[in-house]
C-alpha cells in the first residue's frame, strides 16, 4: 500500500479537499458499520424491555469511557506517527507504533480491572434497582473482557491512521462489526447450537466480535498487509518513547476521563428527571436519541480523523499553512451534511422514535428533546472536526480546557437546572447539552483561527 502523498507546493483548497475525502470516506464507511451495530443493539433491546435498553445504554457509556482512556496512548501514537510519516521517517513511525502496542497491553489490563470494579457501582449511582440493576451489572462485567481486546485493536487503528492507512482499520473494524451483528442476533434469539440468551446475547456478541477484531489487527500489524507493520525486535517498553507518547496522550486521556465524568453526571440527571426516582422512559428516550444522533456526529468524526492524519503529516513536512487549511476545508465539507441531517431529525422525530422503541412513553419523552438536539448539529460537527485537528497537531491541552468549561461548567449545571429544578424533563436537560456543544465549538474555532497550535512540539 503506498503512503499518502504530501503536496510540496503552496496549499490550495481543491487538492486538500480531495485528500480529505480520500482519507475520510473509508473511515466513514467504518463508522457507518459501527453505527449499524449500535443501532442494532438498541433495536434488539427495545424489543425486549426498557430495562434492557437502559442497561445497554449504560454499557455504551462505560465502553465510551474505555475508548477515551485508550486515547492516553492512541492520540499520542497518531500525532507522532503522522509527524514521522510526513517527514519521510517511516522506520521511526513503525517503531512508535510497536511501542504503542506494548503499552496497549498494560492499558488494556488496567481498563479491564477498572471496569470490573465499577460494574456494581455505576448502575447504583444512576438509581437503577431490581431487574434493571441486575441486567446492567452482569452486562458491564462481561463487556469488560471485550474492552481488553478493543484496546489492542483501537490503538493499532490509531497508529495506522497516523500513517494515512485508513483502509486496514476499515477492514478490521468492519469485519468486527459484522461479527457483532451476526453473533448477537444468534445469541439473543437462538440459532443452531446457540441457545436463546435474551439481553445477555447482545454482550456475548460484542465480546466475541472484539476478540475477532484483536486477532485481525494482530494479523495486519504483523505482516506486509499494512505498510506500518510492527518491528518485532522493538516489542518492549522503552521509557523515553513511552514518555513521549504519554506526554501528548496524557491530556487526551485526562480529557476523556473529564468528559466521561461530565457525561456520567449528566446521565445521573437524566435518571432522576422524575420526582419518583429512576425514570426508565426518560432514560431509554435519552439512549435512543444519542444513538440516532450518531448519524450526524460519526461522519463528522470520520472527517476529523482524516484531518488529524493530514494535519500531523503536514506539520511533519514543515507545511504549517497546509495544516491550517485542512481544518477549514473539512468544515466546509461537513457543515452542509450536518445542516441537512438536522432538518431530517427535526421533521422525522416521531417516526424515528416509533421505529426504535415499542414503549410509547419513550417517544413522549424523546420527541421534543430530539427536535431541540436537531437544531445544534452544525456546531457539534464543527467542534468534533476542530478538536481532531488540534489533537493531530499534538495540541491536546486546549480541548481538555474546553471540556472542563463546556461539559463540567455548563452541561451538568444547566441540565440539572432546566431538567430537574424547573422540571422541564428531558427537553430541559438537553438544553444544557446544546449550550455545551455550542460554546465548545466557539472556543475551538477561536483556537484554530489563532494558529498557535501549529507550533506544538511532539
Amino acid at each position: 500500500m503506498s503512503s499518502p502523498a504530501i503536496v510540496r507546493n503552496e496549499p490550495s483548497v481543491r487538492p486538500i479537499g480531495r485528500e480529505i475525502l480520500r482519507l475520510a470516506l473509508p473511515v466513514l464507511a467504518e463508522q457507518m458499520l459501527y453505527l449499524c451495530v449500535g443501532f442494532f443493539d438498541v433495536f434488539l433491546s427495545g424489543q425486549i424491555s426498557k430495562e434492557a435498553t437502559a442497561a445497554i445504554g449504560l454499557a455504551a457509556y462505560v465502553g465510551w469511557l474505555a475508548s477515551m482512556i485508550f486515547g492516553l496512548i492512541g492520540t499520542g501514537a497518531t500525532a507522532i506517527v503522522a509527524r514521522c510519516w510526513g517527514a519521510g521517517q517511516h522506520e521511526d513511525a513503525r517503531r512508535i507504533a510497536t511501542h504503542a502496542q506494548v503499552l496497549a497491553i498494560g492499558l488494556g489490563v488496567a481498563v479491564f480491572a477498572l471496569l470490573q470494579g465499577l460494574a456494581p457501582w455505576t448502575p447504583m449511582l444512576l438509581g437503577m434497582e431490581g431487574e434493571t440493576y441486575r441486567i446492567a451489572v452482569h452486562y458491564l462485567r462481561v463487556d469488560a473482557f471485550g474492552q481488553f481486546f478493543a484496546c489492542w485493536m483501537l490503538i493499532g487503528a490509531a497508529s495506522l491512521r497516523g500513517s494515512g492507512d485508513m483502509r486496514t482499520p476499515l477492514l478490521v473494524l468492519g469485519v468486527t462489526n459484522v461479527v457483532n451483528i451476526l453473533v448477537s442476533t444468534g445469541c439473543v434469539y437462538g440459532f443452531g447450537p446457540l441457545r436463546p440468551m435474551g439481553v445477555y446475547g447482545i454482550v456475548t456478541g460484542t465480546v466475541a466480535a472484539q476478540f475477532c477484531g484483536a486477532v485481525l489487527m494482530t494479523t495486519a500489524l504483523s505482516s506486509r498487509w499494512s505498510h506500518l507493520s510492527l518491528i518485532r525486535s522493538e516489542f518492549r517498553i522503552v521509557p523515553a518513547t513511552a514518555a513521549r507518547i504519554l506526554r501528548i496522550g496524557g491530556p487526551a486521556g485526562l480529557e476523556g476521563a473529564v468528559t466521561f465524568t461530565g457525561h456520567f453526571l449528566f446521565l445521573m440527571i437524566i435518571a432522576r428527571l422524575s420526582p419518583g426516582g429512576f425514570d426508565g422512559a426518560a432514560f431509554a428516550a435519552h439512549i435512543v436519541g444519542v444513538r440516532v444522533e450518531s448519524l450526524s456526529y460519526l461522519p463528522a468524526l470520520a472527517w476529523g480523523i482524516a484531518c488529524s492524519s493530514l494535519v500531523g503529516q503536514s506539520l511533519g513536512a514543515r507545511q504549517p499553512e497546509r495544516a491550517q487549511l485542512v481544518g477549514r476545508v473539512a468544515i466546509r465539507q461537513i457543515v452542509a451534511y450536518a445542516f441537512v441531517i438536522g432538518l431530517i431529525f427535526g421533521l422525522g422525530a416521531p417516526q424515528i422514535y416509533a421505529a426504535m422503541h415499542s414503549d410509547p412513553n419513550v417517544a413522549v419523552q424523546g420527541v421534543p428533546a430530539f427536535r431541540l438536539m436537531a437544531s445544534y448539529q452544525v456546531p457539534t460537527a464543527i467542534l468534533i472536526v476542530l478538536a481532531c485537528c488540534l489533537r493531530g497537531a499534538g495540541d491536546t491541552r486546549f480541548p481538555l480546557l474546553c471540556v472542563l468549561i463546556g461539559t463540567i461548567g455548563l452541561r451538568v449545571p444547566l441540565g440539572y437546572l432546566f431538567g430537574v429544578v424547573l422540571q422541564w424533563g428531558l427537553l430541559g436537560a438537553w438544553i444544557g447539552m446544546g449550550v455545551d456543544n455550542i460554546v465548545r465549538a466557539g472556543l475551538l474555532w477561536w483556537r484554530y483561527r489563532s494558529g498557535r497550535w501549529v507550533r506544538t512540539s511532539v
Side-chain angles (χ1 to χ4, degrees):
M1 185 180 295
S2 60
S3 62
I6 296 292
V7 179
R8 300 292 178 182
N9 51 12
E10 286 298 316
S12 59
V13 172
R14 186 169 296 176
I16 290 179
R18 288 198 298 265
E19 189 72 2
I20 291 172
L21 287 173
R22 184 183 72 81
L23 295 178
L25 290 177
V27 183
L28 178 60
E30 169 198 319
Q31 297 289 342
M32 288 297 103
L33 285 171
Y34 183 77
L35 171 64
C36 290
V37 172
F39 258 72
F40 197 71
D41 286 354
V42 172
F43 174 77
L44 285 177
S45 68
Q47 310 314 302
I48 298 171
S49 66
K50 63 185 180 185
E51 290 79 13
T53 301
I56 287 177
L58 174 58
Y61 269 89
V62 174
W64 182 44
L65 165 65
S67 68
M68 289 188 293
I69 293 175
F70 301 156
L72 181 68
I73 298 172
T75 301
T78 298
I80 300 172
V81 167
R83 289 285 185 102
C84 292
W85 207 263
Q89 301 165 353
H90 296 174
E91 196 69 10
D92 287 343
R94 292 178 62 205
R95 187 174 295 109
I96 293 295
T98 303
H99 295 164
Q101 291 306 116
V102 176
L103 295 175
I105 296 174
L107 184 60
V109 172
V111 168
F112 168 78
L114 173 66
L115 297 186
Q116 286 288 343
L118 289 176
W121 295 98
T122 47
M124 185 183 302
L125 289 172
L126 294 178
M128 293 182 177
E129 298 176 340
E131 181 69 6
T132 306
Y133 177 82
R134 186 178 66 82
I135 292 173
V137 172
H138 180 83
Y139 199 103
L140 290 171
R141 282 179 168 157
V142 175
D143 189 60
F145 288 92
Q147 295 304 328
F148 173 80
F149 302 118
C151 182
W152 175 270
M153 178 176 60
L154 294 178
I155 289 174
S159 295
L160 289 168
R161 289 170 180 147
S163 72
D165 181 0
M166 308 296 181
R167 295 180 182 178
T168 301
L170 167 62
L171 179 60
V172 171
L173 295 175
V175 171
T176 299
N177 292 332
V178 171
V179 171
N180 193 351
I181 291 175
L182 295 177
V183 177
S184 292
T185 304
C187 289
V188 169
Y189 296 111
F191 181 77
L194 300 175
R195 62 180 180 84
M197 299 173 63
V199 65
Y200 301 123
I202 300 176
V203 70
T204 302
T206 299
V207 174
Q210 288 167 331
F211 172 76
C212 180
V215 171
L216 286 173
M217 183 59 71
T218 302
T219 303
L221 293 173
S222 303
S223 65
R224 297 186 180 276
W225 183 355
S226 168
H227 58 242
L228 196 70
S229 56
L230 302 182
I231 304 173
R232 296 183 183 180
S233 62
E234 293 284 341
F235 204 79
R236 53 193 169 85
I237 294 179
V238 179
T241 304
R244 186 182 179 191
I245 293 172
L246 295 176
R247 179 172 59 83
I248 300 167
L254 182 57
E255 178 192 344
V258 172
T259 299
F260 178 79
T261 300
H263 280 257
F264 192 80
L265 291 172
F266 188 71
L267 207 60
M268 291 176 66
I269 293 170
I270 300 297
R272 290 166 172 80
L273 291 176
S274 171
F278 180 75
D279 190 339
F283 196 89
H286 175 76
I287 297 304
V288 170
V290 296
R291 278 296 189 185
V292 176
E293 188 195 11
S294 58
L295 278 169
S296 175
Y297 67 72
L298 286 183
L301 183 59
W303 259 248
I305 289 171
C307 289
S308 179
S309 176
L310 285 174
V311 164
Q313 290 180 24
S314 298
L315 293 176
R318 301 185 183 279
Q319 295 181 324
E321 296 84 3
R322 185 175 190 271
Q324 289 178 292
L325 188 57
V326 165
R328 295 198 295 270
V329 173
I331 286 176
R332 294 174 198 168
Q333 291 179 342
I334 202 64
V335 159
Y337 171 81
F339 178 77
V340 171
I341 201 71
L343 286 178
I344 294 172
F345 284 171
L347 296 173
Q351 292 76 16
I352 290 170
Y353 270 86
M356 289 296 293
H357 211 286
S358 58
D359 189 337
N361 291 325
V362 173
V364 170
Q365 294 266 12
V367 169
F370 194 72
R371 283 177 166 154
L372 170 69
M373 181 271 296
S375 67
Y376 53 80
Q377 289 310 293
V378 169
T380 299
I382 291 172
L383 81 87
I384 290 171
V385 170
L386 293 183
C388 287
C389 288
L390 296 181
R391 295 187 194 108
D395 182 7
T396 51
R397 294 180 181 178
F398 192 81
L400 168 60
L401 176 62
C402 291
V403 169
L404 286 169
I405 294 172
T407 304
I408 302 296
L410 295 174
R411 177 183 297 227
V412 173
L414 291 180
Y416 183 79
L417 171 64
F418 291 112
V420 177
V421 176
L422 298 181
Q423 297 184 3
W424 291 5
L426 189 62
L427 174 66
W430 279 18
I431 290 175
M433 185 165 66
V435 172
D436 167 25
N437 287 3
I438 293 168
V439 169
R440 276 193 291 147
L443 289 172
L444 288 165
W445 178 247
W446 171 81
R447 176 68 171 182
Y448 197 84
R449 287 288 301 272
S450 75
R452 284 177 284 185
W453 52 274
V454 301
R455 296 189 291 273
T456 305
S457 174
V458 301

